[in-house]
Amino acid sequence: IAKTSPSKRINKRINVKDIQLDESFTPSIVPQEFIDATAPFYRSADVIYRLWNRVLIAYKKSAVNRPIEENEVLTDVIRAFKESVFAQKVSKIRNTFEGYFYRIVEAKLAVWKRREIPLFDWLANE
């Protein structure tokens, strides 16, 4: 009679998809500052990663020239998260938290994009 090794028995019983991963399992592509800001509210690597993906989608769409990891831009992203948490707390969000958060990030990145585009200098072009 062939016996199964202990490691094979364990692998059959544990389904990794069923295990909830805390914030320490969040992939390294997510900046630590963002993890630190979101972890008190969402102690789930999955949720934090999904929220960061929303940030990246908004960032790519906005075509901002500054890197997303730059301190000032990342500070605005974290501020967007905190504003979204507040909106959820006061029952202002009608649909999903992720969608609301995405729209706030999108608006903040639009401000960054407007700062990059120089205004026409009317006095210099007379």
Side-chain angles (χ1 to χ4, degrees):
I1 296 176
K3 288 194 169 190
T4 3
S5 70
S7 64
K8 286 185 180 177
R9 259 188 278 132
I10 290 173
N11 287 340
K12 286 184 180 180
R13 286 190 212 141
I14 297 174
N15 186 352
V16 177
K17 290 183 180 181
D18 294 337
I19 298 173
Q20 288 295 323
L21 303 175
D22 70 9
E23 71 276 4
S24 67
F25 287 89
T26 306
S28 60
I29 64 162
V30 180
Q32 190 60 47
E33 297 91 341
F34 187 77
I35 295 170
D36 293 343
T38 55
F41 304 95
Y42 296 103
R43 295 229 173 259
S44 165
D46 297 337
V47 174
I48 294 170
Y49 184 69
R50 274 200 325 265
L51 289 172
W52 183 249
N53 277 333
R54 293 289 183 145
V55 171
L56 293 180
I57 292 168
Y59 175 73
K60 287 176 185 171
K61 185 177 176 186
S62 72
V64 171
N65 290 326
R66 290 175 172 241
I68 190 75
E69 295 84 11
E70 185 176 296
N71 192 29
E72 294 166 337
V73 179
L74 189 56
T75 298
D76 271 355
V77 167
I78 292 170
R79 189 171 295 124
F81 174 76
K82 291 179 178 182
E83 289 174 17
S84 301
V85 169
F86 179 78
Q88 186 175 34
K89 178 127 175 91
V90 297
S91 302
K92 189 177 176 182
I93 298 176
R94 292 195 177 103
N95 293 322
T96 66
F97 179 84
E98 286 181 18
Y100 189 90
F101 172 62
Y102 173 81
R103 283 172 185 65
I104 299 292
V105 169
E106 195 176 42
K108 291 197 178 295
L109 291 174
V111 171
W112 279 103
K113 187 63 182 173
R114 282 194 300 273
R115 289 179 190 164
E116 291 176 354
I117 300 170
L119 295 174
F120 185 75
D121 190 357
W122 295 98
L123 296 175
N125 292 316
E126 287 185 353

